[in-house]
Amino acid sequence: AQSVTQPDIHITVSEGASLELRCNYSYGATPYLFWYVQSPGQGLQLLLKYFSGDTLVQGIKGFEAEFKRSQSSFNLRKPSVHWSDAAEYFCAVGAPSSGSARQLTFGSGTQLTVLP
Amino acid sequence: GAVVSQHPSWVICKSGTSVKIECRSLDFQATTMFWYRQFPKQSLMLMATSNEGSKATYEQGVEKDKFLINHASLTLSTLTVTSAHPEDSSFYICSARWASGTYEQYFGPGTRLTVT
């Protein structure tokens, strides 16, 4: 079964600084990869996704992520963080072997704090 | 597009009573809906997968008699927590998928359940 690891429970950055959130997955082939953001007391919003093709994907709100097969990683980046980016970020994996249910497996999340 | 709503956004009920949470896909037909449970500062835990017109598939460890799921139409799924207890207090999130061949899920804003 696939698994997702987000090594950083909590990250703090200053506004305007760059950001990288780590995500590693365990799966035998190339999975479907997603990054979601959750603001307090809210549901999840899709930031970006990777299925195939160009390994650098652009998302909403200025985020991008790079798929690196050799490292089994799909790290999320943003060149300049805004205070409004403070939220919980979840990496998720969809594995073709999960059958017709096509469920997602979520990482444990990374809480981002942005300092003024 | 791809908006999912949940109602209510928060509910308080007394121990022993039942509470129903609705999940609606507002601008698309959802072939599959998922129900998740999220504890404070934790990731999403998949409770069940429901397909329109058929019985829900529950994850291991989830009591199907306690968490009744009905997916009566392509735009509505309901989760009923029966004989609620304080330990059922949690944040419940639904998501919907518009096609069986995709992994992409659209999430509702969540429902905060407090059982007193």
Side-chain angles (χ1 to χ4, degrees):
Chain A
Q2 68 273 17
S3 65
V4 184
T5 302
Q6 291 181 247
D8 305 304
I9 297 174
H10 194 180
I11 283 184
T12 300
V13 299
S14 297
E15 190 169 18
S18 63
L19 171 70
E20 182 169 34
L21 302 182
R22 296 184 290 167
C23 172
N24 294 95
Y25 66 89
S26 174
Y27 181 62
T30 300
Y32 297 90
L33 297 160
F34 303 83
W35 273 102
Y36 287 89
V37 60
Q38 183 182 33
S39 297
Q42 299 295 314
L44 277 67
Q45 181 182 23
L46 178 66
L47 286 175
L48 45 78
K49 60 190 176 186
Y50 174 77
F51 292 164
S52 64
D54 192 346
T55 56
L56 184 64
V57 294
Q58 302 297 321
I60 62 171
K61 304 185 179 185
F63 286 93
E64 66 178 26
E66 184 172 14
F67 169 61
K68 292 186 177 180
R69 185 191 306 275
S70 61
Q71 300 177 17
S72 297
S73 68
F74 188 58
N75 294 348
L76 181 71
R77 300 194 296 247
K78 187 169 185 178
S80 178
V81 171
H82 188 263
W83 65 266
S84 60
D85 293 325
E88 185 88 19
Y89 291 80
F90 292 97
C91 181
V93 168
S97 63
S98 64
S100 60
R102 295 181 182 259
Q103 298 165 350
L104 293 179
T105 299
F106 286 86
S108 55
T110 297
Q111 178 68 47
L112 174 65
T113 298
V114 180
L115 300 177
Chain B
V3 179
V4 177
S5 70
Q6 277 184 248
H7 178 79
S9 55
W10 60 272
V11 57
I12 301 173
C13 70
K14 292 187 176 181
S15 186
T17 63
S18 296
V19 61
K20 180 184 288 187
I21 302 170
E22 291 186 349
C23 177
R24 293 181 183 272
S25 56
L26 299 184
D27 51 2
F28 66 101
Q29 293 186 324
T31 58
T32 305
M33 286 184 170
F34 302 87
W35 286 95
Y36 296 86
R37 184 174 180 176
Q38 186 180 33
F39 293 101
K41 300 191 182 300
Q42 294 189 25
S43 188
L44 281 71
M45 181 190 78
L46 180 65
M47 299 175 65
T49 302
S50 73
N51 293 296
E52 185 265 340
S54 61
K55 290 185 177 181
T57 301
Y58 291 81
E59 294 300 301
Q60 192 172 11
V62 177
E63 299 176 61
K64 60 180 65 177
D65 293 332
K66 180 168 191 59
F67 298 100
L68 301 180
I69 292 172
N70 183 275
H71 193 162
S73 76
L74 284 171
T75 59
L76 173 64
S77 176
T78 60
L79 167 67
T80 301
V81 183
T82 63
S83 186
H85 290 282
E87 56 265 32
D88 298 326
S89 299
S90 192
F91 194 54
Y92 293 89
I93 304 175
C94 74
S95 70
R97 188 171 67 198
W98 64 272
S100 61
T102 178
Y103 284 88
E104 196 164 334
Q105 298 178 23
Y106 298 95
F107 287 81
T111 297
R112 173 73 61 194
L113 170 63
T114 301
V115 184
T116 62

